[in-house]
C-alpha cells in the first residue's frame, strides 16, 4: 500500500504540472462513476500519452477496441484533424449509451462512431463495409481476445500505423506460464504472436502509477497487411 500511495502521489504531481484543468474530462469521469461503470479508464497522464502519440503519428483514422465510457476515446479524438474520424467498439449497451452522451458533451459526436456488439463481430463488420485502413489502433478490451484483436488490427491497419495495447503486465503475472487467469493467458498468447509477426515491430513498457503496476505494448506496422 505504501508503494501504491507513492505511485499515485507521483502521478498527481506530474498531472498537476503537465495536464491543464479540463472540466469536460472531469465531467466524463463523474458521469462514468454516476452510471456505475467500473473505474478502469486510463489514468489522465496515460490518456494524454495516447493523445500525444496520435498527434505525433498525425493520425486521421483511429480505431479503439474497448470504449467503456469514452474517456480514452475523447483523448484520442482530440488529436484528430478537422476531417479525422474515430471508430470505437464496445460490447456493453450501457457503456455505449454513457460513452455517446460523453462524446456529445465533449463536442466530438461528429468525429466519432461507437459500434455496439462483440468486438470480433464489429471488426469483421468494419472489413465488410470497406472502412478506410486505420493509422492508429488502441486495444483495451477483454484480454483473452487480444490475440484475435491483434490479427484484426494488422488486417485493418495501413503500413506505418501505430498499435497500442494496454494492461499487458497484470501486476507482473504475465511472466507466469501456469497462471489460471485467462486474461494473463490472453496477454501471453498476444506476446507470442507479436514476437513471431513480421508485419509489426513492437516493444513493451512496464508502468506504475495511480492505476497500479501494469504496462503497455507500442508497435508500428511495418509492411502491407496481407492476411
Amino acid at each position: 500500500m505504501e508503494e501504491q500511495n507513492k505511485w499515485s502521489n507521483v502521478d498527481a504531481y506530474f498531472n498537476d504540472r503537465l495536464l491543464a484543468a479540463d472540466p469536460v474530462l472531469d465531467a466524463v469521469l463523474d458521469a462514468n462513476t454516476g452510471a456505475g461503470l467500473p473505474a478502469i479508464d486510463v489514468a489522465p497522464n496515460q490518456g494524454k500519452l495516447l493523445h500525444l502519440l496520435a498527434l505525433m503519428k498525425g493520425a486521421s483514422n483511429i480505431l479503439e477496441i474497448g470504449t467503456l465510457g469514452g474517456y480514452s476515446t475523447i483523448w484520442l479524438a482530440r488529436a484528430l484533424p478537422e476531417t479525422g474520424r474515430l471508430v470505437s467498439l464496445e460490447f456493453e449497451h450501457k457503456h455505449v449509451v454513457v460513452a455517446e452522451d460523453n462524446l456529445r458533451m465533449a463536442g466530438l459526436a461528429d468525429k466519432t462512431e461507437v459500434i455496439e456488439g462483440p468486438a470480433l463481430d464489429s471488426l469483421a463488420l468494419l472489413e465488410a463495409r470497406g472502412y478506410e485502413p486505420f493509422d492508429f489502433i488502441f486495444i483495451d478490451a477483454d484480454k483473452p481476445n487480444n490475440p484475435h484483436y491483434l490479427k484484426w488490427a494488422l488486417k485493418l491497419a495501413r503500413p506505418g500505423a501505430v498499435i497500442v495495447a494496454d494492461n499487458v503486465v497484470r501486476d507482473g503475472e504475465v511472466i507466469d506460464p501456469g497462471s489460471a487467469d485467462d486474461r494473463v493467458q490472453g496477454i501471453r498468447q498476444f506476446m507470442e504472436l507479436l514476437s513471431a509477426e513480421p508485419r509489426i515491430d513492437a516493444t513493451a513498457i512496464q508502468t506504475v502509477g495511480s492505476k497500479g503496476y501494469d504496462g503497455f505494448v507500442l508497435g508500428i506496422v511495418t509492411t502491407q497487411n496481407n492476411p
Side-chain angles (χ1 to χ4, degrees):
M1 181 61 69
E2 182 179 349
E3 284 297 302
Q4 178 60 64
N5 288 338
K6 181 182 293 185
W7 299 340
S8 297
N9 288 338
V10 171
D11 263 6
Y13 170 79
F14 288 147
N15 292 344
D16 183 56
R17 282 150 184 81
L18 300 176
L19 275 70
D22 196 320
V24 169
L25 287 173
D26 291 343
V28 166
L29 292 178
D30 288 344
N32 291 354
T33 300
L37 271 59
I40 55 174
D41 317 86
V42 299
N45 52 343
Q46 295 168 342
K48 188 167 184 181
L49 174 63
L50 290 171
H51 176 79
L52 292 174
L53 288 171
L55 280 176
M56 285 187 280
K57 170 58 188 171
S60 60
N61 201 21
I62 297 176
L63 172 63
E64 179 183 50
I65 304 175
T67 315
L68 194 62
Y71 183 74
S72 57
T73 318
I74 291 169
W75 275 111
L76 287 167
R78 284 178 170 180
L80 289 167
E82 191 61 35
T83 58
R85 294 287 299 169
L86 181 149
V87 176
S88 190
L89 313 180
E90 174 56 47
F91 176 73
E92 296 285 350
H93 174 71
K94 178 180 179 180
H95 298 179
V96 172
V97 172
V98 174
E100 290 181 335
D101 285 345
N102 286 336
L103 289 164
R104 280 191 292 270
M105 177 176 62
L108 293 167
D110 61 335
K111 287 187 175 183
T112 57
E113 176 185 6
V114 181
I115 299 178
E116 181 178 342
L120 293 178
D121 293 346
S122 299
L123 289 162
L125 183 66
L126 295 180
E127 182 183 45
R129 290 182 176 175
Y131 276 62
E132 287 293 316
F134 295 95
D135 49 24
F136 194 103
I137 299 173
F138 180 43
I139 302 172
D140 190 16
D142 54 312
K143 309 312 173 191
N145 274 320
N146 261 30
H148 303 297
Y149 296 150
L150 176 61
K151 292 175 183 177
W152 271 109
L154 290 170
K155 184 180 292 190
L156 296 172
R158 68 174 74 253
V162 171
I163 296 178
V164 179
D166 202 9
N167 307 126
V168 300
V169 173
R170 316 297 307 182
D171 284 320
E173 290 184 43
V174 70
I175 64 173
D176 180 7
S179 173
D181 189 330
D182 59 356
R183 297 167 298 180
V184 172
Q185 292 301 335
I187 294 298
R188 287 180 60 86
Q189 294 167 27
F190 173 77
M191 298 303 294
E192 290 301 316
L193 281 174
L194 276 176
S195 70
E197 176 55 68
R199 292 173 291 170
I200 184 170
D201 193 11
T203 191
I205 301 294
Q206 300 180 78
T207 61
V208 295
S210 61
K211 295 294 184 176
Y213 172 36
D214 216 318
F216 63 93
V217 160
L218 174 65
I220 296 179
V221 176
T222 56
T223 60
Q224 186 63 43
N225 309 311
N226 297 315

